[in-house]
């Protein structure tokens, strides 16, 4: 295994402990200007997220109504009642974004898919990097003020639903995640830089609890007056 990846996994709770759990649950509060660009509402109501750790599967409650939830895999996105009654569903959901640009309007299933693939990526980081089919390499380090951040470049297979196939993750001297760079392929491929502000610990696992995603300029730095997505993660539980 890559030397930096080994250190990163250890700093976030360790691969052995991760493998002993099957899922993680967390309360999510999201906002930011990106959702208005897509013509969809993302209010500040808390939503409960459940993420499977060893396959790409997730569910988000209070989606569109208090008695509704999303059900996500890369091959299908669904919105259903809590009793399992299907409200709407779409198979091969990634295909529905063909030709989309940043201002292309979304329907509820588009929003459900984006939320699901993004949140699975965030909650599974960095342990998803050790999954079958995922390849990592250390890229050129990044100088952030007086700090030098090491960078893992991660190549995701097409079978995983995520922002894009190649993403960069920046780690400080404690091997904590400080920044995440990617392109939002389902919205025209605009470049984004996501910053991590605080960490939380739950059941021996550690992960960022505050995330802020900005558009990324040609100098590779986040444009701080263009906040696209904000995210607060709390009440985390692994089981």
């Amino acid at each position: 295994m890559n030397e930096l990846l080994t250190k990163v996994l250890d700093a976030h709770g360790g691969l052995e402990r991760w493998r002993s759990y099957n899922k993680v649950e967390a309360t999510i509060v999201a906002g930011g200007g990106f959702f208005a660009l897509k013509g969809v509402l993302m209010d500040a109501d808390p939503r409960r997220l459940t993420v499977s750790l060893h396959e790409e599967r997730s569910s988000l409650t209070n989606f569109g109504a208090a008695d509704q939830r999303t059900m996500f895999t890369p091959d299908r996105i669904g919105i259903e009642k809590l009793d399992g009654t299907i409200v709407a569903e779409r198979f091969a959901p990634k295909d529905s974004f063909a030709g989309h640009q940043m201002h292309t309007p979304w329907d509820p299933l588009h929003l459900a898919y984006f939320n699901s693939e993004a949140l699975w990526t965030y909650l599974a980081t960095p342990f998803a990097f050790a999954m079958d089919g995922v390849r990592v390499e250390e890229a050129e380090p990044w100088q952030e003020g007086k700090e030098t951040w090491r960078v893992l470049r991660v190549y995701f297979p097409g079978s995983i639903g995520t922002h894009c196939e190649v993403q960069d993750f920046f780690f400080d001297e404690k091997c904590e995640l400080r920044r995440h760079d990617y392109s939002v392929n389902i919205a025209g491929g605009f470049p984004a830089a996501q910053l991590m502000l605080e960490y939380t610990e739950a059941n021996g696992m550690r992960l960022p609890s505050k995330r802020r995603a900005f558009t990324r300029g040609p100098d590779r730095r986040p444009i701080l007056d263009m906040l696209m997505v904000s995210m607060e993660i709390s009440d985390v539980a692994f089981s």
Side-chain angles (χ1 to χ4, degrees):
M1 185 179 291
N2 177 284
E3 172 262 341
L4 175 56
L5 177 56
T6 298
K7 291 182 177 180
V8 165
L9 296 179
D10 289 344
H12 288 79
L15 188 57
E16 183 176 354
R17 181 180 284 116
W18 172 268
R19 287 173 172 164
S20 73
Y21 297 125
N22 292 313
K23 67 179 181 179
V24 57
E25 297 176 275
T27 297
I28 307 293
V29 176
F34 179 63
F35 302 103
L37 294 178
K38 309 307 289 183
V40 293
L41 176 66
M42 199 64 191
D43 56 43
D45 288 348
R47 292 171 169 85
R48 193 65 177 170
L49 171 72
T50 302
V51 164
S52 296
L53 301 184
H54 309 302
E55 60 178 339
E56 192 174 12
R57 182 181 299 271
S58 68
S59 177
L60 188 68
T61 62
N62 188 23
F63 186 88
D67 64 342
Q68 291 184 174
R69 65 189 176 197
T70 63
M71 297 297 287
F72 164 77
T73 67
D75 299 324
R76 176 188 177 273
I77 184 67
I79 302 171
E80 63 181 38
K81 298 293 186 181
L82 297 182
D83 64 5
T85 303
I86 295 174
V87 175
E89 65 180 345
R90 179 173 290 149
F91 293 90
K94 190 186 299 185
D95 295 347
S96 69
F97 295 92
H100 279 214
Q101 300 300 315
M102 187 182 288
H103 292 84
T104 305
W106 277 355
D107 63 26
L109 286 170
H110 288 127
L111 175 62
Y113 179 86
F114 170 75
N115 283 347
S116 299
E117 58 92 347
L119 290 169
W120 182 87
T121 299
Y122 305 156
L123 271 293
T125 295
F127 296 93
F129 307 167
M131 291 177 67
D132 290 342
V134 179
R135 182 168 61 89
V136 302
E137 64 184 22
E138 186 165 0
E140 182 179 350
W142 175 263
Q143 197 67 33
E144 185 69 23
K146 296 181 179 180
E147 298 183 28
T148 301
W149 294 349
R150 295 176 71 179
V151 181
L152 273 179
R153 180 158 295 159
V154 180
Y155 298 83
F156 291 96
S159 58
I160 289 180
T162 186
H163 293 310
C164 60
E165 291 189 0
V166 183
Q167 304 178 32
D168 286 343
F169 297 81
F170 300 66
F171 299 91
D172 64 15
E173 72 281 352
K174 296 186 292 184
C175 289
E176 290 186 350
L177 181 64
R178 300 293 298 276
R179 175 173 156 180
H180 174 198
D181 283 10
Y182 49 89
S183 297
V184 186
N185 283 352
I186 60 176
F190 74 87
Q194 186 175 132
L195 307 181
M196 319 311 160
L197 305 182
E198 294 180 13
Y199 259 68
T200 189
E201 183 169 340
N203 307 108
M205 308 302 298
R206 303 185 67 252
L207 69 159
S209 62
K210 296 182 184 293
R211 293 171 171 264
R212 301 291 185 269
F214 303 88
T215 53
R216 191 172 76 243
D219 60 356
R220 294 184 64 198
R221 296 192 175 275
I223 303 173
L224 297 179
D225 59 354
M226 296 184 68
L227 175 64
M228 301 300 280
V229 177
S230 65
M231 189 174 303
E232 314 287 330
I233 300 171
S234 62
D235 301 321
V236 181
F238 288 82
S239 59

